[in-house]
Amino acid sequence: MAIVTVVFCCVGALAITGSLYHIDKELLGWWLCERQVKSGGLNGHPEKLPNVCYSWWVLSRLIMIDRVQWIHKEKLVKFILDCQDKEKGGISDRPDDVVDVFHSYFGVADYQLVAVACLSLAAKVEKTQVPLLLDFQVEESKFVIEAKTIQRMELLGLGCWKV
């Protein structure tokens, strides 16, 4: 099991019990941000390859401890989208691997979590113009989850997304 999944459970439990004050948020935030590799993806612990599912485990905790602004969100979105099978649909664990239900689910969830992170950051600095997930889709369609990915997930019974 990757270390980030254990961190996910521990930080979640502390949040549920109102005990996040026990965490050194600077140190934990630094360690979580160190999970981002050059490709933009996130790994589970040092020397491990990046994986779409780790984006969920890491990104959600960074949001919880208010340190999500410390990672490069556009690179993360690009990594997730590079894991798509644009012809058949679906998302794999990393680029050029075989797609599967687990990583397709987490890939779409991660993509939405980035949008939530942008909204959260905008609200904290009281911006009047909030970046939307659509903002990632403007430049030459490089940040787009393909309709086939969502359709494939619907066929597999994973969610209520409509294209």
Side-chain angles (χ1 to χ4, degrees), residues 60-123:
S60 61
R61 295 312 95 165
L62 284 169
I63 290 171
M64 191 168 283
I65 64 169
D66 294 322
R67 300 301 184 274
V68 72
Q69 68 274 18
W70 290 2
I71 64 163
H72 196 295
K73 287 174 277 313
E74 283 187 4
K75 280 183 135 181
L76 176 58
V77 169
K78 183 182 179 325
F79 174 80
I80 294 166
L81 296 177
D82 286 347
C83 295
Q84 273 190 109
D85 181 333
K86 293 182 181 183
E87 292 177 18
K88 296 178 185 173
I91 298 174
S92 61
D93 58 346
R94 56 189 62 91
D96 302 321
D97 281 358
V98 177
V99 301
D100 62 71
V101 173
F102 180 79
H103 291 95
S104 294
Y105 177 79
F106 277 109
V108 172
D110 297 340
Y111 193 73
Q112 293 299 321
L113 204 51
V114 171
V116 169
C118 289
L119 286 171
S120 175
L121 288 171

Side-chain angles (χ1 to χ4, degrees), residues 1 3-4 16 21 33 35-36 39 63 67 76 81 103 105-106 111 141 148 155 163:
M1 176 184 293
I3 296 170
V4 293
I16 290 169
Y21 60 88
C33 290
R35 307 287 49 84
Q36 190 164 37
S39 67
I63 290 171
R67 300 301 184 274
L76 176 58
L81 296 177
H103 291 95
Y105 177 79
F106 277 109
Y111 193 73
S141 300
K148 289 180 183 177
L155 288 174
V163 178

Side-chain angles (χ1 to χ4, degrees), residues 12-77:
L14 289 170
I16 290 169
T17 60
S19 303
L20 281 176
Y21 60 88
H22 289 292
I23 295 174
D24 181 340
K25 293 179 184 178
E26 299 294 311
L27 184 59
L28 178 60
W30 168 83
W31 187 84
L32 288 169
C33 290
E34 285 290 308
R35 307 287 49 84
Q36 190 164 37
V37 299
K38 288 181 182 180
S39 67
L42 299 162
N43 63 20
H45 55 79
E47 304 302 320
K48 195 164 178 80
L49 292 173
N51 189 314
V52 165
C53 66
Y54 296 143
S55 302
W56 172 263
W57 309 120
V58 173
L59 195 60
S60 61
R61 295 312 95 165
L62 284 169
I63 290 171
M64 191 168 283
I65 64 169
D66 294 322
R67 300 301 184 274
V68 72
Q69 68 274 18
W70 290 2
I71 64 163
H72 196 295
K73 287 174 277 313
E74 283 187 4
K75 280 183 135 181
L76 176 58
V77 169

